[in-house]
C-alpha cells in the first residue's frame, strides 16, 4: 500500500471512528435528556438569574432542510452550548413550521421561469407514487418533520460526509459585515445599505 492510499485509509478509519463515537454520544444525550430544558412556569421558580435565550425561525416543512438551515442553526447551537458551559440557564426552543402547503419554487421567484411542484418533489428523490400522497395536506405534516428532526440530530455526520465528497472546504469567501454588531451577518440582517423598493 502506498503512503497516499495508507493516509486515505487512516483518514477513513478515523472518520468512521468519529461517526461511531458521535452516534453513541447522541444516543446517550437522547436517553438522559441532556439538552431538554423547560422555562420556569411561575415567577421566582428559577434561582438562577443568569439566563440565556436563543431562538431560530422555524423551518417551513415543505421540503428537506438545506445547508442554509444548518448554517444559521449552528450559530444558535454553538452560542447556547457555550453559554451553558458558562453556567447560564439556557433555553433554546425549537419547532417546525407545519401548515401542509406546497413549495413555492425559488427558481420561479428569482428567474421568472416556472417550475412545477411535481418537478420539485422529484428533485427531492420522490417517486410519482409517493408524490400523489401529498395531495392530502396532512401527508406534508407526516412526511417532512421526521426527516428534519433526523437530519438535525445528524448534523455533524452530514458535515463529515460533505467534506469527504469535497462539497465543502475551508477557505475564504466574501461576506456581509455589520459594523454595529462587529461580526459577519446575512444580507437581510444589515441595518444600513439596504435597497428600498417602492
Amino acid at each position: 500500500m502506498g503512503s497516499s492510499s495508507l493516509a486515505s485509509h487512516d483518514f477513513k478509519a478515523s472518520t468512521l471512528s468519529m461517526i461511531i463515537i458521535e452516534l453513541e454520544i447522541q444516543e446517550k444525550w437522547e436517553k438522559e435528556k441532556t439538552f431538554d430544558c423547560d422555562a420556569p412556569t411561575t415567577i421566582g421558580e428559577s434561582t438562577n438569574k443568569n439566563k440565556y435565550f436563543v431562538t431560530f425561525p422555524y423551518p417551513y416543512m415543505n421540503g428537506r432542510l438545506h445547508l442554509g438551515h444548518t448554517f444559521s442553526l449552528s450559530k444558535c447551537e454553538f452560542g447556547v452550548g457555550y453559554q451553558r458551559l458558562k453556567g447560564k440557564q439556557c433555553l433554546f426552543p425549537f419547532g417546525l413550521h407545519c401548515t401542509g402547503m406546497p413549495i413555492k419554487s425559488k427558481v420561479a421567484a428569482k428567474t421568472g421561469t416556472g417550475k412545477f411542484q411535481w418537478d420539485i418533489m422529484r428533485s427531492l428523490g420522490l417517486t410519482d407514487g409517493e408524490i400523489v400522497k401529498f395531495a392530502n395536506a396532512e401527508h406534508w405534516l407526516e412526511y417532512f418533520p421526521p426527516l428534519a428532526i433526523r437530519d438535525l440530530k445528524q448534523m455533524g455526520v452530514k458535515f463529515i460526509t460533505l467534506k469527504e465528497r469535497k462539497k465543502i472546504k475551508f477557505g475564504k469567501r466574501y461576506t456581509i459585515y455589520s459594523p454595529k454588531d462587529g461580526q459577519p451577518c446575512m444580507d437581510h440582517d444589515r441595518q444600513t445599505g439596504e435597497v428600498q423598493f417602492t
Side-chain angles (χ1 to χ4, degrees):
M1 215 187 268
S3 63
S4 65
S5 62
L6 184 60
S8 174
H9 173 46
D10 288 347
F11 176 76
K12 287 179 181 176
S14 174
T15 300
L16 180 60
S17 177
M18 287 188 297
I19 291 171
I20 291 169
I21 291 168
E22 180 179 23
L23 293 173
E24 289 173 354
I25 295 298
Q26 287 175 343
E27 186 178 320
K28 178 181 178 186
W29 289 343
E30 184 79 25
K31 182 180 173 186
E32 295 176 5
K33 299 189 180 301
T34 302
F35 296 101
D36 287 10
C37 177
D38 292 321
T41 56
T42 59
I43 296 174
E45 181 181 330
S46 173
T47 57
N48 185 353
K49 301 296 182 197
N50 200 7
K51 300 174 186 174
Y52 186 79
F53 177 81
V54 65
T55 189
F56 175 81
Y58 300 150
Y60 194 70
M61 289 290 92
N62 59 2
R64 299 291 299 268
L65 297 180
H66 53 75
L67 200 53
H69 291 113
T70 305
F71 173 77
S72 298
L73 270 169
S74 65
K75 288 183 171 189
C76 296
E77 185 76 28
F78 297 143
V80 80
Y82 175 72
Q83 296 300 328
R84 180 177 281 196
L85 287 171
K86 291 179 69 177
K88 293 185 180 178
Q89 179 181 351
C90 297
L91 186 62
F92 180 13
F94 191 83
L96 303 169
H97 184 178
C98 300
T99 60
M101 296 297 290
I103 302 167
K104 179 179 183 235
S105 172
K106 292 282 187 192
V107 175
K110 290 187 176 188
T111 66
T113 60
K115 191 170 185 184
F116 291 104
Q117 183 69 39
W118 204 275
D119 297 326
I120 296 168
M121 300 300 278
R122 273 189 166 165
S123 75
L124 295 173
L126 296 165
T127 65
D128 290 347
E130 293 171 314
I131 295 170
V132 170
K133 296 176 186 175
F134 287 93
N136 175 358
E138 289 182 15
H139 188 66
W140 293 86
L141 309 179
E142 296 163 356
Y143 186 83
F144 287 115
L147 294 175
I149 291 166
R150 185 197 70 199
D151 290 347
L152 289 170
K153 288 180 179 179
Q154 295 179 344
M155 187 167 63
V157 174
K158 301 287 184 205
F159 269 105
I160 291 169
T161 303
L162 289 170
K163 185 174 183 189
E164 284 176 348
R165 294 180 182 171
K166 300 192 182 337
K167 299 291 183 183
I168 58 173
K169 61 182 179 178
F170 180 79
K172 296 180 180 179
R173 66 175 180 89
Y174 293 105
T175 190
I176 308 296
Y177 183 80
S178 169
K180 182 177 187 278
D181 297 323
Q183 66 179 15
C185 66
M186 299 305 291
D187 189 48
H188 58 274
D189 292 331
R190 288 190 292 178
Q191 290 195 348
T192 60
E194 296 286 333
V195 176
Q196 299 278 329
F197 294 100
T198 55

